[in-house]
């Protein structure tokens, strides 16, 4: 707020963490849901801690007031995955979705992030070696605008040797798919398929198949 930087205490920071934890959510999931996740509080702490460290190094303050605060411990939820029987069922069910079969088969055999698989171009696939290059990621901005960008991390730029079955599927797909995108938008082939649409389709398939409601990256 209006408090001078040198006047901020550890108690002030702790009070702020507690406040935003309870009432920090701007867009509520429900009428009463205003809390933030533990991981969000940790992220806030990390940014503020770095800012205050910089202030200490520049001799604007003598001590980092974020030191000594209590923040939530890492509390990662255990990933829920499909077991072998469920995975076999999933691979059978997607055969009933010919427009999505190749997409989801490629996903379960490569483990690509959602934006990465949507961002694949035919120029990324070496049809001689079966190696595919991951060099971009698709995101959707507010309003539905499709944005082509870099992978999430620098190490996200990589090459993957496809399993023979996946390589065969993509080579066969290449014969009937036109345009630059391996998985184009069905309505606008000049654009890649939307990560949001892929997410909703996954949820639909899982529900109709009586399979666990897993996240895309758990798939």
């Amino acid at each position: 707020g209006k408090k001078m930087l040198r006047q901020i205490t550890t108690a002030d920071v702790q009070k702020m963490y507690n406040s935003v934890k309870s009432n920090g959510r701007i867009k509520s999931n429900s009428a009463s849901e205003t809390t933030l996740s533990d991981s969000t509080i940790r992220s806030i702490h990390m940014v503020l801690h770095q800012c205050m460290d910089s202030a200490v190094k520049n001799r604007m303050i003598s001590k980092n007031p974020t030191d000594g605060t209590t923040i939530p411990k890492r509390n990662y939820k255990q990933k829920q995955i499909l077991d072998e029987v469920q995975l076999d069922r999933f691979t059978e069910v997607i055969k009933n979705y010919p427009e999505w079969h190749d997409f989801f088969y490629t996903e379960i055999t490569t483990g690509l992030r959602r934006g990465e698989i949507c961002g694949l171009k035919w120029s990324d696939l070496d049809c001689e070696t079966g190696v595919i290059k991951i060099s971009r990621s698709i995101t959707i901005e507010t309003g539905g605008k499709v944005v082509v960008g870099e992978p999430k991390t620098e190490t996200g730029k990589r090459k993957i040797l496809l399993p023979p079955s996946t390589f065969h599927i993509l080579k066969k797909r290449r014969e009937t798919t036109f345009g630059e995108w391996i998985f184009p938008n069905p309505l606008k082939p000049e654009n890649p398929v939307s990560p949001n649409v892929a997410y909703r389709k996954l949820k639909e398939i899982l529900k109709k198949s009586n399979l666990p409601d897993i996240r895309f990256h758990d798939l």
Side-chain angles (χ1 to χ4, degrees):
K2 297 179 180 179
K3 183 168 287 193
M4 296 289 287
L5 184 62
R6 65 176 179 273
Q7 296 176 326
I8 297 175
T9 66
T10 300
D12 292 330
V13 178
Q14 187 67 63
K15 184 178 179 180
M16 185 269 288
Y17 289 165
N18 296 343
S19 175
V20 295
K21 169 64 179 174
S22 301
N23 302 295
R25 184 180 293 277
I26 297 173
K27 294 184 178 180
S28 301
N29 291 336
S30 66
S32 59
E33 184 67 28
T34 59
T35 60
L36 292 178
S37 68
D38 289 347
S39 61
T40 300
I41 302 302
R42 290 184 63 85
S43 296
I44 292 172
H45 169 75
M46 182 171 63
V47 173
L48 184 57
H49 180 80
Q50 291 174 344
C51 291
M52 292 299 186
D53 256 356
S54 180
V56 172
K57 290 176 183 177
N58 285 279
R59 301 190 178 187
M60 300 170 70
I61 54 178
S62 60
K63 179 180 179 293
N64 188 329
T66 66
D67 290 339
T69 56
T70 301
I71 59 172
K73 295 180 179 180
R74 295 186 184 275
N75 185 25
Y76 296 127
K77 292 183 179 179
Q78 185 175 1
K79 289 182 174 63
Q80 183 178 17
I81 63 173
L82 301 180
D83 61 28
E84 290 189 23
V85 173
Q86 293 168 335
L87 188 57
D88 286 342
R89 175 165 175 73
F90 184 82
T91 54
E92 282 299 314
V93 168
I94 58 177
K95 292 178 181 178
N96 299 324
Y97 297 83
E99 72 278 19
W100 285 98
H101 174 270
D102 297 355
F103 179 91
F104 284 115
Y105 191 90
T106 301
E107 175 57 30
I108 61 178
T109 54
T110 60
L112 296 178
R113 293 186 176 97
R114 190 167 25 138
E116 292 174 345
I117 188 171
C118 292
L120 292 177
K121 293 184 177 182
W122 289 115
S123 58
D124 299 323
L125 178 63
D126 188 327
C127 289
E128 297 297 324
T129 63
V131 171
I132 196 162
K133 180 173 61 176
I134 313 303
S135 57
R136 73 191 64 80
S137 183
I138 304 298
T139 56
I140 306 298
E141 288 187 345
T142 303
K145 181 181 178 182
V146 177
V147 178
V148 182
E150 298 285 317
K152 189 174 181 180
T153 63
E154 268 305 309
T155 54
K157 294 181 179 180
R158 60 201 187 280
K159 293 182 179 180
I160 295 175
L161 178 62
L162 295 173
S165 58
T166 309
F167 184 34
H168 173 75
I169 284 175
L170 292 185
K171 283 187 70 174
K172 189 175 180 181
R173 181 181 182 82
R174 185 72 178 102
E175 299 171 1
T176 57
T177 303
F178 302 96
E180 62 178 338
W181 303 101
I182 293 182
F183 302 111
N185 183 318
L187 301 179
K188 296 181 179 180
E190 68 275 12
N191 293 332
V193 65
S194 165
N196 294 350
V197 173
Y199 177 83
R200 289 194 294 269
K201 180 57 66 172
L202 170 65
K203 294 295 184 177
E204 175 190 324
I205 294 174
L206 292 172
K207 185 175 182 179
K208 289 184 177 180
S209 309
N210 293 318
L211 289 169
D213 185 28
I214 60 174
R215 301 175 301 177
F216 193 94
H217 292 151
D218 295 339
L219 178 67

